[in-house]
Amino acid sequence: MKLRSPFKILDGYIIRKFLGTYIFAIILILAITVMFDINEKLDAFLKAPLKATIFDYFVNFLPYFANQFSPLFTFIAVIFFTSKLADNSEIIAMMSSGMSFRRLLRPYLVSATVIAAGTYVLSAYVIPPANVKRLDFQNTYVKNKRVDYGTNIQLQVGKGEIAYMSRYDNIARTGYKFSLESFKDKKLVSRLTAQTIRYDSLHRWQVRDYMIRDFKGTREIIRRGTKLDTIIPIEPRDFLIGQKDHETMTSPDLAGYISRQKERGMGNIKNFEIEYERRYAMTAAAFILTIIGMSLSSRKVKGGMGINIAIGLVLSFGYIVFMTVTSSFAVSGYTSPRIAMWIPNVIYLIIAVLLYRKASRG
């Protein structure tokens, strides 16, 4: 019969404690959040059907909120259960059995890996489709923040092709005074104009009361018609950009959208770039905050667990505020979204290294 190593038993013990405390912290804070949210949106919930409130809003809101504040929950979990281990002299017993501080960190990093992987999968693939339902509920019953109209819309739809609409109505799915100009070697070779253009489905548009002018040297060929089905590689969401649209796209969709919008010369995509980089930065934060929390709370301190929890709350909330502040730098154009999202991680990584070295020296 093969006996398990005592260190592996301790690994399993720490991992269970870490993940159990993390889940407990999420449930506790979500319960409080739901109470405040119901109080704030009570009028909307009374108007909405109960089924929509539960399944369209809360079922999608709770994972969204939990994932947004995953670094906070991770930090609180580490601080809370590690301080408890230290107060009960369990960490001293582990170290006395021959476990080094570096070896003690291993189960923490395994737990952080589980949390980081879950955080990324949720933020990149699971939560964005859920946000579509959540935001539709809010727009319908709380406050409508949909962008259904646009004016003076101009964008590049392909190489050498510029589209323009004086106005677009997304409710009627119709644009007015449309034009599509094609250039070759910086010379206008064709121009399509139409009184209206209607969006049908993916990239399919129907122009009405149209005129096509083809320029061939000194000649001009004109064609007219009442209705023409055409494929134009744009969708309404390419130019009707809502405040929360970046939260409804998976990471692959975000990457493709950002690339297309840059090619089209659209400048209002900072929120999309920030969201894309934020998902990776938040994933890395699980490791950084775990190291900080473990290094801070692995030793007994005067004042007990309360001091460690207070320090942990200050640092974790500071991280979230710091990330919010640096994201405003990207919006203002002072720095790129990638640098803005990783500044907090770099600074907190330095803090983590310093605290780890101090704690490992005992």
Side-chain angles (χ1 to χ4, degrees), residues 180-281:
L180 179 64
E181 298 178 333
S182 299
F183 295 85
K184 186 175 181 180
D185 298 328
K186 298 183 180 181
K187 291 183 180 179
L188 183 64
V189 295
S190 177
R191 188 169 192 264
L192 181 154
T193 56
Q195 289 300 309
T196 61
I197 181 170
R198 194 172 192 282
Y199 183 64
D200 182 18
S201 59
L202 186 63
H203 296 165
R204 292 188 60 182
W205 297 81
Q206 185 182 84
V207 293
R208 298 176 180 177
D209 297 325
Y210 69 90
M211 178 174 66
I212 301 175
R213 301 168 64 189
D214 295 317
F215 303 97
K216 297 184 178 180
T218 57
R219 292 191 306 146
E220 180 181 340
I221 301 171
I222 299 177
R223 290 173 286 160
R224 300 176 186 269
T226 56
K227 189 184 296 185
L228 176 66
D229 292 323
T230 184
I231 294 177
I232 304 173
I234 55 173
E235 300 176 67
R237 72 174 186 175
D238 292 332
F239 49 82
L240 296 180
I241 301 175
Q243 188 178 0
K244 299 287 186 179
D245 284 357
H246 54 279
E247 295 180 356
T248 64
M249 297 184 187
T250 64
S251 288
D253 289 342
L254 263 178
Y257 181 85
I258 291 167
S259 178
R260 289 194 306 272
Q261 294 297 81
K262 284 182 176 179
E263 290 175 0
R264 291 166 178 162
M266 301 293 286
N268 53 345
I269 58 170
K270 287 293 185 184
N271 286 338
F272 294 85
E273 294 177 293
I274 290 170
E275 175 66 17
Y276 184 77
E277 298 297 339
R278 186 190 66 83
R279 293 175 184 179
Y280 289 100

Side-chain angles (χ1 to χ4, degrees), residues 13-48:
Y13 175 71
I14 291 172
I15 290 170
R16 288 193 302 272
K17 284 283 188 180
F18 189 159
L19 296 180
T21 308
Y22 173 79
I23 293 170
F24 176 77
I26 288 177
I27 293 172
L28 181 63
I29 296 178
L30 286 183
I32 297 171
T33 303
V34 167
M35 292 174 59
F36 279 104
D37 202 52
I38 290 175
N39 185 59
E40 182 184 350
K41 299 183 177 76
L42 184 59
D43 290 342
F45 294 148
L46 291 174
K47 289 187 297 182

